[in-house]
Amino acid sequence: MAGVKSDKGIMPRSFEGIFKEIVKDSMGSQFLVRASYVEIYNEDVRDLLSKNPKNKLDLHEKPDSGVYVKDLSYFACKSSDEIDEVMNIGQKNRSVGETAMNAHSSRSHSSILDPVERSELGADGKQHIRVGKLNMVDLAGSERLSKTHATGDRLKEATKINLSLSTLCHVISSLTDPKSTYIPYRDSKLTRLLQDSLGGNTKTVMIANIGPADYNFDETINTLRYANRAKNIQNKPKINEDPKDALLREYQDEVTKLRAQLAALQSG
């Protein structure tokens, strides 16, 4: 997902794509790009950019903006390099551990969320704001204990990872089943956090990481089946225009107030 400097992964390439489009469309428009980084470790949500990245955070929901993490850190970024730096800080705080299959195994799921706000002058002479979000999720792989030989903390982590992935599979199956009347988002912190990214006003893409070794044949088939289900999710996203919680509007209002105060001081 992250890659290395000489061979960048999907995350930094996506960040570069965002800012290339901003540069193309910067005439007459203002943009605000922010970044956050969380992990779900043993069903606990953690802020990887916090001074205390081991602290547990709570999930809440707003009727107009969906599920969010309370007290989550966000950093405004002016370039892809700045988001890369945010990503690198978060990577250092991620939970990793050694198993029989991987010396640096991810012991958590993680998500980088990049809200992008755009303000432009409309035909009515007023500023109109559009908001989008890029949510890039790095899922920990499912584990077979017979291969990883996990014990103690590694065993507990593997159990939580497998349970959350199983719930995600059930959610995806429910979303793609026209007869389904219930989506079990609340059965896992992972699916709760991804509720808007799976069944909301979104487009969903899953990238599957598989290997050619016949030793991992069963895992490869299961992964491809998993991704095939996700491919069948059908959403019809609409543009988020003039949302109430857009930060750009707050900033614009604040600038207007400060200019009025400055003008009053200069005239008085």
Side-chain angles (χ1 to χ4, degrees), residues 28-92:
S29 297
Q30 294 177 310
F31 290 87
L32 173 63
V33 181
R34 294 176 292 149
S36 67
Y37 202 173
V38 301
E39 76 169 354
I40 301 175
Y41 174 77
N42 284 346
E43 282 298 288
D44 291 331
V45 180
R46 296 175 170 180
D47 183 353
L48 294 176
L49 303 179
S50 169
K51 294 180 180 179
N52 300 300
K54 303 300 182 184
N55 287 353
K56 303 175 186 177
L57 300 182
D58 296 323
L59 294 177
H60 292 266
E61 185 172 6
K62 292 181 180 178
D64 55 346
S65 58
V67 178
Y68 68 98
V69 181
K70 185 180 179 182
D71 299 326
L72 180 63
S73 303
Y74 281 93
F75 290 86
C77 300
K78 297 180 180 179
S79 67
S80 59
D81 288 339
E82 289 188 7
I83 299 188
D84 286 345
E85 183 61 26
V86 168
M87 181 183 68
N88 291 334
I89 292 171
Q91 290 276 7
K92 294 176 181 178

